[in-house]
């Protein structure tokens, strides 16, 4: 199998699965019900994510005389994705953008939100501080994730993409 570590994330359903399994462990059947997908399709994508090291088997449970694996996503596992192939990173960026658009269609009207898009120049020490804060915010969100529909929780969307750009002029990009 080629080293397409990031490519495994390029499928929109896999992005949704990782988000879902951050807050709880689920079997293929449970995840399929929550995502409105078939069990066979969800099971296939769970295996691909597991094979890539992005899901771990949290437990095996007895269901109707059989055994079912419950998978869980550890956000730290993403650090294992070391590919710097521009094509793979572009696929991942496109999948994140598509997922953001899908979620935007479910945005709760008249609820507080934050949306920022910017291409700016900042001092290196400011960039380092803000990047650290964004990384900590992402970790805090993942740590706070609860199972879907847990009483007292709200469903939220978070997409964070901060990266340094090349020094070239914006017009030539």
């Amino acid at each position: 199998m080629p080293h397409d570590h990031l490519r495994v994330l390029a499928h929109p359903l896999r992005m949704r699965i990782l988000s879902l399994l951050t807050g709880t462990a689920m079997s293929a059947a449970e995840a399929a019900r929550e995502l409105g997908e078939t069990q066979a399709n969800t099971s296939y994508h769970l295996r691909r994510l597991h094979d890539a090291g992005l899901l771990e088997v949290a437990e095996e449970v007895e269901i109707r005389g059989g055994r079912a694996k419950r998978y869980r996503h550890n956000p730290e596992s993403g650090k294992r994705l070391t590919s710097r192939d521009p094509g793979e990173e572009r696929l991942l960026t496109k999948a994140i953008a598509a997922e953001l658009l899908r979620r935007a269609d479910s945005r709760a009207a008249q609820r507080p939100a934050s949306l920022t898009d910017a291409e700016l120049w900042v001092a290196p020490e400011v960039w380092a501080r803000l990047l650290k804060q964004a990384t900590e915010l992402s970790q805090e969100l993942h740590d706070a994730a609860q199972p879907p529909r847990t009483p007292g929780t709200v469903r939220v969307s978070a997409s964070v993409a901060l990266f340094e750009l090349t020094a070239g002029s914006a017009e030539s990009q």
Side-chain angles (χ1 to χ4, degrees), residues 29-50:
E30 292 166 327
R33 280 191 298 276
E34 185 63 35
L35 296 168
E37 296 287 335
T38 67
Q39 182 175 344
N41 190 33
T42 303
S43 181
Y44 168 77
H45 291 292
L46 283 169
R47 284 192 310 274
R48 290 287 316 267
L49 290 165
H50 181 261

Side-chain angles (χ1 to χ4, degrees), residues 4-41:
D4 58 348
H5 295 100
L6 291 177
R7 190 173 304 269
V8 76
L9 293 177
H11 193 284
L13 181 57
R14 293 182 195 147
M15 301 288 289
R16 292 177 63 203
I17 288 170
L18 288 179
S19 291
L20 177 65
L21 299 182
T22 297
T24 190
M26 288 186 172
S27 68
E30 292 166 327
R33 280 191 298 276
E34 185 63 35
L35 296 168
E37 296 287 335
T38 67
Q39 182 175 344
N41 190 33

Side-chain angles (χ1 to χ4, degrees), residues 117-122 127 161-170 173:
D117 179 59
E119 181 176 333
L120 346 134
W121 294 78
V122 297
W127 168 246
L162 299 174
F163 46 88
E164 193 169 331
L165 297 169
T166 60
S169 71
Q173 301 297 315

Side-chain angles (χ1 to χ4, degrees), residues 8 11-13 17-18 25 48-49 52 54 65 87 92 94 101 109-110 117 125 128 130 132 134 144 151 171:
V8 76
H11 193 284
L13 181 57
I17 288 170
L18 288 179
R48 290 287 316 267
L49 290 165
L54 295 169
L92 177 58
K94 287 173 93 171
L101 288 172
Q110 309 302 316
D117 179 59
E125 62 275 5
L130 295 174
K132 182 177 186 273
E171 292 79 30

Side-chain angles (χ1 to χ4, degrees), residues 58-114:
E59 62 182 337
E60 288 194 39
V61 293
E62 188 100 13
I63 298 178
R64 290 187 283 281
R67 305 267 316 150
K69 293 178 182 176
R70 281 200 162 139
Y71 295 93
R72 175 105 193 215
H73 172 56
N74 176 355
E76 291 291 309
S77 65
K79 291 180 181 174
R80 285 186 235 136
L81 300 178
T82 58
S83 172
R84 288 290 171 227
D85 179 283
E88 288 182 13
E89 286 190 359
R90 185 163 175 78
L91 284 173
L92 177 58
T93 301
K94 287 173 93 171
I96 291 169
E99 182 61 6
L100 178 59
L101 288 172
R102 185 194 66 79
R103 290 184 202 153
D105 289 340
S106 298
R107 183 176 173 186
Q110 309 302 316
R111 300 295 299 159
S114 174

